[in-house]
mmCIF file of all heavy atoms in Angstrom:
data_model
loop_
_atom_site.group_PDB
_atom_site.id
_atom_site.type_symbol
_atom_site.label_atom_id
_atom_site.label_comp_id
_atom_site.label_asym_id
_atom_site.label_seq_id
_atom_site.Cartn_x
_atom_site.Cartn_y
_atom_site.Cartn_z
ATOM 1 N N GLY A 1320 115.548 90.023 100.214
ATOM 2 C CA GLY A 1320 116.248 88.735 100.158
ATOM 3 C C GLY A 1320 117.659 88.884 99.681
ATOM 4 O O GLY A 1320 118.194 88.029 98.940
ATOM 5 N N ALA A 1321 118.334 89.977 100.134
ATOM 6 C CA ALA A 1321 119.684 90.287 99.628
ATOM 7 C C ALA A 1321 120.712 89.207 99.931
ATOM 8 O O ALA A 1321 121.732 89.098 99.272
ATOM 9 C CB ALA A 1321 120.141 91.632 100.187
ATOM 10 N N THR A 1322 120.412 88.364 100.953
ATOM 11 C CA THR A 1322 121.357 87.300 101.306
ATOM 12 C C THR A 1322 121.276 86.107 100.358
ATOM 13 O O THR A 1322 122.089 85.189 100.443
ATOM 14 C CB THR A 1322 121.006 86.772 102.714
ATOM 15 O OG1 THR A 1322 119.591 86.577 102.763
ATOM 16 C CG2 THR A 1322 121.447 87.715 103.805
ATOM 17 N N GLY A 1323 120.295 86.099 99.468
ATOM 18 C CA GLY A 1323 120.043 84.908 98.645
ATOM 19 C C GLY A 1323 121.049 84.728 97.502
ATOM 20 O O GLY A 1323 121.832 85.625 97.178
ATOM 21 N N TYR A 1324 121.007 83.550 96.930
ATOM 22 C CA TYR A 1324 121.907 83.156 95.817
ATOM 23 C C TYR A 1324 121.705 84.078 94.615
ATOM 24 O O TYR A 1324 122.672 84.636 94.102
ATOM 25 C CB TYR A 1324 121.572 81.686 95.495
ATOM 26 C CG TYR A 1324 122.164 81.122 94.244
ATOM 27 C CD1 TYR A 1324 123.541 81.230 93.967
ATOM 28 C CD2 TYR A 1324 121.363 80.425 93.350
ATOM 29 C CE1 TYR A 1324 124.071 80.647 92.830
ATOM 30 C CE2 TYR A 1324 121.878 79.864 92.194
ATOM 31 C CZ TYR A 1324 123.225 79.981 91.937
ATOM 32 O OH TYR A 1324 123.754 79.414 90.812
ATOM 33 N N VAL A 1325 120.476 84.232 94.178
ATOM 34 C CA VAL A 1325 120.201 85.053 93.012
ATOM 35 C C VAL A 1325 120.516 86.511 93.303
ATOM 36 O O VAL A 1325 121.099 87.230 92.472
ATOM 37 C CB VAL A 1325 118.702 84.847 92.584
ATOM 38 C CG1 VAL A 1325 118.269 85.928 91.604
ATOM 39 C CG2 VAL A 1325 118.496 83.470 91.979
ATOM 40 N N ALA A 1326 120.135 86.969 94.495
ATOM 41 C CA ALA A 1326 120.312 88.409 94.800
ATOM 42 C C ALA A 1326 121.789 88.772 94.919
ATOM 43 O O ALA A 1326 122.139 89.945 94.612
ATOM 44 C CB ALA A 1326 119.598 88.719 96.122
ATOM 45 N N ARG A 1345 116.509 89.170 106.844
ATOM 46 C CA ARG A 1345 115.779 88.760 108.075
ATOM 47 C C ARG A 1345 116.563 89.108 109.313
ATOM 48 O O ARG A 1345 116.037 89.437 110.340
ATOM 49 C CB ARG A 1345 115.493 87.253 108.043
ATOM 50 C CG ARG A 1345 114.250 86.978 107.219
ATOM 51 C CD ARG A 1345 113.771 85.598 107.507
ATOM 52 N NE ARG A 1345 114.379 84.619 106.614
ATOM 53 C CZ ARG A 1345 113.923 83.399 106.444
ATOM 54 N NH1 ARG A 1345 112.829 83.038 107.068
ATOM 55 N NH2 ARG A 1345 114.513 82.581 105.618
ATOM 56 N N LYS A 1352 126.110 85.517 106.564
ATOM 57 C CA LYS A 1352 125.851 85.726 105.131
ATOM 58 C C LYS A 1352 126.197 87.149 104.724
ATOM 59 O O LYS A 1352 126.448 87.421 103.556
ATOM 60 C CB LYS A 1352 124.385 85.485 104.850
ATOM 61 C CG LYS A 1352 123.942 84.040 104.987
ATOM 62 C CD LYS A 1352 122.473 83.909 104.575
ATOM 63 C CE LYS A 1352 121.961 82.497 104.759
ATOM 64 N NZ LYS A 1352 120.556 82.380 104.380
ATOM 65 N N SER A 1372 113.885 92.936 107.868
ATOM 66 C CA SER A 1372 112.564 92.771 107.237
ATOM 67 C C SER A 1372 112.233 91.292 107.146
ATOM 68 O O SER A 1372 113.086 90.486 106.895
ATOM 69 C CB SER A 1372 112.569 93.333 105.814
ATOM 70 O OG SER A 1372 113.190 94.597 105.754
ATOM 71 N N ASP A 1373 110.945 90.987 107.322
ATOM 72 C CA ASP A 1373 110.487 89.616 107.150
ATOM 73 C C ASP A 1373 109.250 89.621 106.233
ATOM 74 O O ASP A 1373 108.370 90.457 106.416
ATOM 75 C CB ASP A 1373 110.155 88.978 108.488
ATOM 76 C CG ASP A 1373 109.950 87.466 108.356
ATOM 77 O OD1 ASP A 1373 108.990 87.057 107.648
ATOM 78 O OD2 ASP A 1373 110.740 86.729 108.926
ATOM 79 N N LEU A 1374 109.229 88.705 105.306
ATOM 80 C CA LEU A 1374 108.124 88.645 104.348
ATOM 81 C C LEU A 1374 106.770 88.576 105.048
ATOM 82 O O LEU A 1374 105.775 89.076 104.546
ATOM 83 C CB LEU A 1374 108.267 87.420 103.436
ATOM 84 C CG LEU A 1374 109.414 87.474 102.414
ATOM 85 C CD1 LEU A 1374 109.609 86.113 101.743
ATOM 86 C CD2 LEU A 1374 109.112 88.555 101.373
ATOM 87 N N LEU A 1375 106.738 87.915 106.196
ATOM 88 C CA LEU A 1375 105.433 87.661 106.841
ATOM 89 C C LEU A 1375 105.090 88.730 107.881
ATOM 90 O O LEU A 1375 104.085 88.606 108.573
ATOM 91 C CB LEU A 1375 105.439 86.270 107.460
ATOM 92 C CG LEU A 1375 105.536 85.150 106.399
ATOM 93 C CD1 LEU A 1375 105.756 83.811 107.044
ATOM 94 C CD2 LEU A 1375 104.295 85.134 105.521
ATOM 95 N N TYR A 1380 108.956 96.282 105.537
ATOM 96 C CA TYR A 1380 109.836 96.795 104.453
ATOM 97 C C TYR A 1380 109.769 98.326 104.337
ATOM 98 O O TYR A 1380 110.379 98.904 103.439
ATOM 99 C CB TYR A 1380 109.481 96.132 103.110
ATOM 100 C CG TYR A 1380 109.893 94.690 103.078
ATOM 101 C CD1 TYR A 1380 109.027 93.681 103.541
ATOM 102 C CD2 TYR A 1380 111.145 94.270 102.641
ATOM 103 C CE1 TYR A 1380 109.426 92.338 103.574
ATOM 104 C CE2 TYR A 1380 111.548 92.975 102.670
ATOM 105 C CZ TYR A 1380 110.673 91.995 103.133
ATOM 106 O OH TYR A 1380 111.080 90.675 103.144
ATOM 107 N N THR A 1393 113.266 89.911 95.421
ATOM 108 C CA THR A 1393 113.765 88.547 95.087
ATOM 109 C C THR A 1393 113.420 87.542 96.160
ATOM 110 O O THR A 1393 113.453 86.358 95.936
ATOM 111 C CB THR A 1393 115.312 88.541 94.896
ATOM 112 O OG1 THR A 1393 115.955 88.492 96.174
ATOM 113 C CG2 THR A 1393 115.823 89.718 94.107
ATOM 114 N N ALA A 1394 113.128 87.989 97.405
ATOM 115 C CA ALA A 1394 112.967 87.070 98.518
ATOM 116 C C ALA A 1394 111.793 86.121 98.335
ATOM 117 O O ALA A 1394 110.684 86.544 98.051
ATOM 118 C CB ALA A 1394 112.782 87.840 99.831
ATOM 119 N N SER A 1395 112.053 84.828 98.494
ATOM 120 C CA SER A 1395 111.010 83.800 98.443
ATOM 121 C C SER A 1395 111.759 82.480 98.654
ATOM 122 O O SER A 1395 112.855 82.326 98.116
ATOM 123 C CB SER A 1395 110.368 83.767 97.048
ATOM 124 O OG SER A 1395 109.104 83.183 97.086
ATOM 125 N N PRO A 1396 111.216 81.561 99.439
ATOM 126 C CA PRO A 1396 111.968 80.331 99.669
ATOM 127 C C PRO A 1396 111.963 79.441 98.396
ATOM 128 O O PRO A 1396 110.930 79.307 97.752
ATOM 129 C CB PRO A 1396 111.176 79.633 100.774
ATOM 130 C CG PRO A 1396 109.894 80.341 100.914
ATOM 131 C CD PRO A 1396 109.987 81.669 100.225
ATOM 132 N N PHE A 1397 113.140 78.896 98.037
ATOM 133 C CA PHE A 1397 113.243 77.958 96.912
ATOM 134 C C PHE A 1397 113.682 76.611 97.456
ATOM 135 O O PHE A 1397 114.852 76.377 97.749
ATOM 136 C CB PHE A 1397 114.242 78.472 95.861
ATOM 137 C CG PHE A 1397 114.440 77.507 94.705
ATOM 138 C CD1 PHE A 1397 113.383 76.760 94.220
ATOM 139 C CD2 PHE A 1397 115.691 77.360 94.106
ATOM 140 C CE1 PHE A 1397 113.567 75.899 93.147
ATOM 141 C CE2 PHE A 1397 115.864 76.506 93.024
ATOM 142 C CZ PHE A 1397 114.812 75.754 92.559
ATOM 143 N N PRO A 1411 104.959 82.416 102.549
ATOM 144 C CA PRO A 1411 105.990 83.425 102.339
ATOM 145 C C PRO A 1411 106.020 84.003 100.918
ATOM 146 O O PRO A 1411 106.246 85.192 100.732
ATOM 147 C CB PRO A 1411 107.313 82.707 102.666
ATOM 148 C CG PRO A 1411 106.981 81.349 103.063
ATOM 149 C CD PRO A 1411 105.502 81.158 103.044
ATOM 150 N N THR A 1435 111.182 88.910 91.155
ATOM 151 C CA THR A 1435 111.807 87.664 90.689
ATOM 152 C C THR A 1435 110.734 86.585 90.747
ATOM 153 O O THR A 1435 110.458 86.037 91.834
ATOM 154 C CB THR A 1435 113.006 87.261 91.547
ATOM 155 O OG1 THR A 1435 113.846 88.378 91.714
ATOM 156 C CG2 THR A 1435 113.772 86.107 90.910
ATOM 157 N N SER A 1436 110.093 86.348 89.613
ATOM 158 C CA SER A 1436 109.129 85.249 89.566
ATOM 159 C C SER A 1436 109.893 84.003 89.136
ATOM 160 O O SER A 1436 111.041 83.779 89.590
ATOM 161 C CB SER A 1436 107.986 85.605 88.625
ATOM 162 O OG SER A 1436 107.035 84.577 88.599
ATOM 163 N N SER A 1437 109.377 83.240 88.232
ATOM 164 C CA SER A 1437 110.072 81.998 87.797
ATOM 165 C C SER A 1437 109.381 81.452 86.558
ATOM 166 O O SER A 1437 108.209 81.752 86.291
ATOM 167 C CB SER A 1437 109.912 80.977 88.943
ATOM 168 O OG SER A 1437 110.428 79.725 88.552
ATOM 169 N N TYR A 1472 106.175 74.272 95.113
ATOM 170 C CA TYR A 1472 107.026 75.446 94.872
ATOM 171 C C TYR A 1472 106.520 76.195 93.644
ATOM 172 O O TYR A 1472 106.369 77.429 93.665
ATOM 173 C CB TYR A 1472 108.491 74.995 94.663
ATOM 174 C CG TYR A 1472 109.354 76.119 94.142
ATOM 175 C CD1 TYR A 1472 109.703 77.207 94.930
ATOM 176 C CD2 TYR A 1472 109.776 76.123 92.793
ATOM 177 C CE1 TYR A 1472 110.458 78.256 94.424
ATOM 178 C CE2 TYR A 1472 110.546 77.159 92.290
ATOM 179 C CZ TYR A 1472 110.880 78.228 93.100
ATOM 180 O OH TYR A 1472 111.606 79.276 92.589
ATOM 181 N N LYS A 1476 105.036 80.127 93.386
ATOM 182 C CA LYS A 1476 105.516 81.174 92.490
ATOM 183 C C LYS A 1476 104.393 81.706 91.590
ATOM 184 O O LYS A 1476 104.350 82.879 91.268
ATOM 185 C CB LYS A 1476 106.684 80.673 91.647
ATOM 186 C CG LYS A 1476 107.930 80.287 92.417
ATOM 187 C CD LYS A 1476 108.468 81.419 93.259
ATOM 188 C CE LYS A 1476 109.164 82.520 92.465
ATOM 189 N NZ LYS A 1476 109.718 83.594 93.352
ATOM 190 N N PRO A 1500 113.033 83.330 85.612
ATOM 191 C CA PRO A 1500 114.156 82.466 85.269
ATOM 192 C C PRO A 1500 113.790 80.997 85.263
ATOM 193 O O PRO A 1500 112.904 80.556 86.010
ATOM 194 C CB PRO A 1500 115.153 82.717 86.408
ATOM 195 C CG PRO A 1500 114.514 83.665 87.360
ATOM 196 C CD PRO A 1500 113.087 83.835 87.000
ATOM 197 N N SER A 1501 114.517 80.242 84.454
ATOM 198 C CA SER A 1501 114.450 78.780 84.532
ATOM 199 C C SER A 1501 115.389 78.359 85.675
ATOM 200 O O SER A 1501 115.706 79.192 86.527
ATOM 201 C CB SER A 1501 114.817 78.148 83.195
ATOM 202 O OG SER A 1501 116.100 78.570 82.793
ATOM 203 N N LEU A 1502 115.862 77.116 85.688
ATOM 204 C CA LEU A 1502 116.743 76.692 86.805
ATOM 205 C C LEU A 1502 118.020 77.524 86.770
ATOM 206 O O LEU A 1502 118.696 77.587 85.731
ATOM 207 C CB LEU A 1502 117.071 75.198 86.632
ATOM 208 C CG LEU A 1502 118.056 74.671 87.669
ATOM 209 C CD1 LEU A 1502 117.454 74.687 89.071
ATOM 210 C CD2 LEU A 1502 118.465 73.238 87.328
ATOM 211 N N VAL A 1503 118.351 78.099 87.903
ATOM 212 C CA VAL A 1503 119.531 78.996 87.977
ATOM 213 C C VAL A 1503 120.711 78.194 88.481
ATOM 214 O O VAL A 1503 120.639 77.539 89.533
ATOM 215 C CB VAL A 1503 119.248 80.167 88.932
ATOM 216 C CG1 VAL A 1503 120.401 81.159 88.863
ATOM 217 C CG2 VAL A 1503 117.927 80.857 88.568
ATOM 218 N N ASN A 1513 124.370 78.049 101.687
ATOM 219 C CA ASN A 1513 123.437 78.199 100.613
ATOM 220 C C ASN A 1513 122.143 77.411 100.770
ATOM 221 O O ASN A 1513 122.159 76.203 100.910
ATOM 222 C CB ASN A 1513 124.119 77.786 99.315
ATOM 223 C CG ASN A 1513 124.048 78.961 98.400
ATOM 224 O OD1 ASN A 1513 122.920 79.342 98.034
ATOM 225 N ND2 ASN A 1513 125.159 79.559 98.110
ATOM 226 N N THR A 1514 121.042 78.142 100.751
ATOM 227 C CA THR A 1514 119.756 77.472 100.970
ATOM 228 C C THR A 1514 119.076 77.142 99.646
ATOM 229 O O THR A 1514 118.104 76.423 99.609
ATOM 230 C CB THR A 1514 118.814 78.420 101.752
ATOM 231 O OG1 THR A 1514 118.855 79.715 101.128
ATOM 232 C CG2 THR A 1514 119.229 78.543 103.208
ATOM 233 N N SER A 1515 119.615 77.690 98.554
ATOM 234 C CA SER A 1515 118.943 77.501 97.272
ATOM 235 C C SER A 1515 119.047 76.034 96.787
ATOM 236 O O SER A 1515 120.075 75.389 96.964
ATOM 237 C CB SER A 1515 119.553 78.406 96.197
ATOM 238 O OG SER A 1515 118.889 78.221 94.996
ATOM 239 N N SER A 1517 119.335 75.044 93.913
ATOM 240 C CA SER A 1517 120.258 74.933 92.764
ATOM 241 C C SER A 1517 121.501 74.124 93.102
ATOM 242 O O SER A 1517 121.978 73.322 92.309
ATOM 243 C CB SER A 1517 120.676 76.322 92.330
ATOM 244 O OG SER A 1517 119.576 77.065 91.884
HETATM 245 P P1 NAP B 812 117.853 81.431 98.255
HETATM 246 O O1 NAP B 812 119.343 81.545 98.110
HETATM 247 O O2 NAP B 812 117.314 80.431 99.227
HETATM 248 O O3 NAP B 812 117.322 82.884 98.629
HETATM 249 C C1 NAP B 812 116.041 83.082 99.154
HETATM 250 C C2 NAP B 812 116.030 84.432 99.834
HETATM 251 O O4 NAP B 812 114.724 84.673 100.354
HETATM 252 C C3 NAP B 812 116.998 84.515 100.991
HETATM 253 O O5 NAP B 812 117.602 85.802 101.022
HETATM 254 C C4 NAP B 812 116.092 84.332 102.207
HETATM 255 O O6 NAP B 812 116.550 85.015 103.384
HETATM 256 C C5 NAP B 812 114.829 85.047 101.720
HETATM 257 N N1 NAP B 812 113.673 84.639 102.484
HETATM 258 C C6 NAP B 812 113.098 83.395 102.562
HETATM 259 N N2 NAP B 812 112.054 83.435 103.415
HETATM 260 C C7 NAP B 812 111.992 84.723 103.894
HETATM 261 C C8 NAP B 812 111.156 85.399 104.814
HETATM 262 N N3 NAP B 812 110.133 84.764 105.465
HETATM 263 N N4 NAP B 812 111.384 86.710 105.062
HETATM 264 C C9 NAP B 812 112.387 87.376 104.434
HETATM 265 N N5 NAP B 812 113.204 86.775 103.556
HETATM 266 C C10 NAP B 812 113.019 85.483 103.282
HETATM 267 O O7 NAP B 812 117.146 81.126 96.876
HETATM 268 P P2 NAP B 812 117.375 81.733 95.416
HETATM 269 O O8 NAP B 812 117.571 80.594 94.481
HETATM 270 O O9 NAP B 812 118.371 82.823 95.427
HETATM 271 O O10 NAP B 812 115.955 82.340 95.125
HETATM 272 C C11 NAP B 812 115.741 83.759 94.998
HETATM 273 C C12 NAP B 812 114.552 84.021 94.124
HETATM 274 O O11 NAP B 812 114.770 83.490 92.813
HETATM 275 C C13 NAP B 812 113.258 83.374 94.636
HETATM 276 O O12 NAP B 812 112.195 84.261 94.398
HETATM 277 C C14 NAP B 812 113.132 82.129 93.744
HETATM 278 O O13 NAP B 812 111.794 81.679 93.671
HETATM 279 C C15 NAP B 812 113.645 82.710 92.437
HETATM 280 N N6 NAP B 812 114.076 81.693 91.472
HETATM 281 C C16 NAP B 812 115.137 80.861 91.768
HETATM 282 C C17 NAP B 812 115.519 79.897 90.836
HETATM 283 C C18 NAP B 812 116.696 78.983 91.090
HETATM 284 O O14 NAP B 812 116.899 78.046 90.285
HETATM 285 N N7 NAP B 812 117.480 79.203 92.122
HETATM 286 C C19 NAP B 812 114.804 79.774 89.614
HETATM 287 C C20 NAP B 812 113.742 80.633 89.363
HETATM 288 C C21 NAP B 812 113.391 81.590 90.289
HETATM 289 P P3 NAP B 812 117.475 84.270 104.500
HETATM 290 O O15 NAP B 812 118.905 84.454 104.036
HETATM 291 O O16 NAP B 812 117.206 85.039 105.744
HETATM 292 O O17 NAP B 812 117.068 82.831 104.533
#
Side-chain angles (χ1 to χ4, degrees):
T1322 46
Y1324 169 52
V1325 165
R1345 278 196 271 197
K1352 292 183 182 181
S1372 314
D1373 192 296
L1374 289 171
L1375 295 171
Y1380 289 88
T1393 80
S1395 203
F1397 177 36
T1435 312
S1436 182
S1437 173
Y1472 167 72
K1476 295 303 287 182
S1501 57
L1502 177 66
V1503 186
N1513 238 296
T1514 49
S1515 180
S1517 297

